């Protein structure tokens, strides 16, 4: 059998030989990368090669282990006959040993056909079946990893149907558990994504209300500041009420759009309470402002604005009572003459006719 020195000689074959084929070599101590030769015969795991070195024909047996898997397979194929079952089985066995299931299946099909449709090698047949089952198991894992649970389900069913006695099939309970776990994870991910989408919609609908409440609160603070005039304070309170009303309208629209959503309903209730609270404080400030100026009609309007949302509000009812008392006292001051509220909101005497 030829070893590396012989391969070195074959590597120097003249490229002028048209019937020579180049075969790639595995890394070796001599640093050879390829050899050009003609395959004369194959026997088990070695091949008889012929080439020309320095004008002389040289030939000998070379172990297939020196060739790359692809080149070794080419060597085996070059000496095989489609009608020779043994040579096709040899190709199938080698291809299977290198993990090339496709080539192994192809050679095995040729071997069975050459053997009249019967299995020419039971051990090889069993080994191929095991590899097919393993290939299905590998595909199953790949599909599960990729989240293709339906495809993985079909692959597992195929494995159990075609190779029920294989080692891979015996792992069926564990594979099924893995598939169920992945399915649950996928369902959880879908649910999470859906929840995030709903939460985004909630925030989009309620964010303007939060902004308006913040504006209402800021305006209220300006109204209480001693830096401006009384008119500026009044205008700030009015701005606060308008912002609170805008917040309430936004909350109503959001609640209508997502009717039945418990989380939005809870958030909307809390925001409504905030808006009504700041609105009430500003209206009370406006009512007090108007009351001290005798603008009873305006004062009642502000108080009624509170009672529209909270008919039993103690603060609003208390202020309304004070307004009515003040209006009556004002009427008494006019000598019991019937009074009316003018455009300015002041109580003025009603002319008798």
């Amino acid at each position: 059998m030829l070893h590396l020195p012989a391969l070195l000689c074959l590597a120097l074959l003249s490229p002028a030989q048209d019937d020579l084929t180049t075969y790639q070599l595995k890394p070796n101590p001599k640093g050879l990368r390829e050899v050009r030769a003609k395959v004369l015969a194959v026997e088990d795991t070695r091949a008889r090669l012929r080439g020309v070195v320095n004008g002389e024909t040289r030939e000998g047996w070379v172990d297939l282990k020196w060739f790359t898997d692809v080149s070794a397979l080419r060597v085996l194929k070059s000496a095989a006959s489609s009608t020779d079952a043994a040579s096709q089985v040899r190709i199938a066995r080698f291809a299977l040993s290198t993990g090339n299931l496709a080539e192994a299946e192809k050679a095995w099909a040729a071997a069975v056909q050459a053997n009249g449709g019967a299995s020419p090698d039971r051990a090889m047949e069993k080994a191929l079946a095991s590899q097919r089952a393993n290939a299905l198991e590998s595909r199953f894992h790949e599909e599960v990893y990729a989240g293709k649970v339906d495809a993985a389900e079909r692959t597992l069913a195929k494995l159990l149907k075609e190779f029920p006695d294989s080692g891979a099939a015996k792992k069926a309970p564990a594979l099924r558990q893995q598939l169920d776990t992945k399915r649950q994870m996928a369902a959880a991910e879908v649910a999470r994504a859906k929840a995030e989408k709903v939460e985004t919609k909630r925030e989009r609908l309620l964010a303007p209300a939060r902004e308006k409440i913040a504006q209402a609160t800021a305006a209220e603070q300006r109204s209480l500041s001693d830096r401006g005039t009384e008119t500026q304070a009044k205008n700030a309170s009015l701005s606060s009420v308008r912002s609170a009303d805008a917040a309430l309208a936004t909350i109503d629209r959001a609640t209508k759009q997502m009717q039945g959503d418990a989380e939005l309903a809870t958030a909307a209730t809390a925001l409504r309470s905030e808006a009504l609270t700041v609105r009430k404080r500003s209206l009370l400030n406006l009512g007090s402002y108007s009351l001290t100026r005798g603008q009873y009609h305006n004062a009642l309007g502000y108080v009624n604005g509170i009672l529209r949302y909270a008919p039993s509000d103690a603060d609003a009812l208390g202020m309304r009572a004070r307004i009515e008392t003040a209006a009556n006292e004002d009427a008494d001051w006019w000598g019991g003459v019937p009074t009316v509220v003018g455009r300015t909101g002041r109580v003025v005497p009603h002319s008798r006719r």
Side-chain angles (χ1 to χ4, degrees), residues 42-45 64 73 76-77 79-98 100 103-116 118-128:
V42 173
E43 183 181 281
D44 295 328
T45 59
L64 293 178
L73 188 61
L76 293 174
K77 283 184 173 182
S81 169
S82 59
T83 59
D84 179 19
S87 63
Q88 293 299 327
V89 168
R90 184 184 296 112
I91 295 174
R93 184 178 294 111
F94 178 82
L96 195 61
S97 70
T98 61
N100 193 338
E103 286 291 345
E105 292 282 14
K106 183 178 178 180
W108 178 252
V112 172
Q113 183 176 358
N115 197 45
S119 172
D121 190 312
R122 292 298 179 184
M124 186 63 196
E125 181 181 17
K126 185 177 180 179
L128 273 173

Side-chain angles (χ1 to χ4, degrees), residues 37-273:
K38 179 178 181 180
V39 179
L40 301 177
V42 173
E43 183 181 281
D44 295 328
T45 59
R46 62 178 187 167
R48 191 167 185 82
L49 305 180
R50 174 189 294 165
V52 177
V53 180
N54 296 330
E56 296 182 4
T57 300
R58 297 177 62 89
E59 67 177 69
W61 291 96
V62 180
D63 198 308
L64 293 178
K65 70 179 182 180
W66 296 113
F67 298 95
T68 63
D69 292 342
V70 173
S71 286
L73 188 61
R74 289 175 59 207
V75 168
L76 293 174
K77 283 184 173 182
S78 67
S81 169
S82 59
T83 59
D84 179 19
S87 63
Q88 293 299 327
V89 168
R90 184 184 296 112
I91 295 174
R93 184 178 294 111
F94 178 82
L96 195 61
S97 70
T98 61
N100 193 338
L101 184 58
E103 286 291 345
E105 292 282 14
K106 183 178 178 180
W108 178 252
V112 172
Q113 183 176 358
N115 197 45
S119 172
D121 190 312
R122 292 298 179 184
M124 186 63 196
E125 181 181 17
K126 185 177 180 179
L128 273 173
S130 177
Q131 286 300 310
R132 293 189 196 108
N134 291 341
L136 285 175
E137 182 186 358
S138 295
R139 190 170 82 187
F140 169 86
H141 288 301
E142 291 172 358
E143 290 167 343
V144 169
Y145 179 79
K148 301 177 180 179
V149 291
D150 291 336
E153 182 77 51
R154 291 191 294 270
T155 299
L156 181 58
K158 180 180 178 67
L159 169 63
L160 296 176
K161 179 181 179 180
E162 296 183 4
F163 309 102
D165 300 324
S166 66
K170 293 178 182 179
K171 303 176 186 177
L175 298 179
R176 171 65 62 184
Q177 180 61 46
Q178 183 179 353
L179 182 60
D180 291 343
T181 299
K182 188 67 174 183
R183 196 185 298 278
Q184 292 170 4
M185 291 174 61
E189 178 61 24
V190 170
R192 185 193 63 77
K194 183 178 180 180
E196 285 186 354
K197 184 176 181 180
V198 173
E199 178 59 30
T200 299
K201 183 177 181 180
R202 283 194 208 103
E203 183 58 29
R204 176 173 58 81
L205 292 175
L206 293 178
R210 292 191 178 92
E211 182 178 353
K212 289 298 181 181
I213 291 172
Q215 292 174 1
T217 302
E220 180 196 16
Q221 293 300 317
R222 289 198 304 274
S223 73
L224 300 175
S225 174
D226 58 1
R227 296 179 181 177
T229 65
E230 290 183 351
T231 299
Q232 289 173 329
K234 176 184 176 182
N235 290 337
S237 292
L238 289 171
S239 177
S240 175
V241 173
R242 285 194 295 269
S243 294
D245 284 339
L248 291 171
T250 299
I251 293 168
D252 288 341
R253 287 194 298 270
T255 303
K256 185 177 181 179
Q257 287 189 42
M258 297 189 69
Q259 189 173 6
D261 186 282
E263 291 191 30
L264 181 131
T266 300
T269 298
L271 288 175
R272 178 181 291 275
S273 177

Side-chain angles (χ1 to χ4, degrees), residues 278-299:
V278 67
R279 181 179 181 276
K280 170 186 169 180
R281 290 197 301 261
S282 293
L283 284 172
L284 287 175
N285 288 337
L286 288 167
S288 178
Y289 176 89
S290 297
L291 177 60
T292 58
R293 286 159 180 74
Q295 299 171 351
Y296 306 124
H297 181 76
N298 288 348

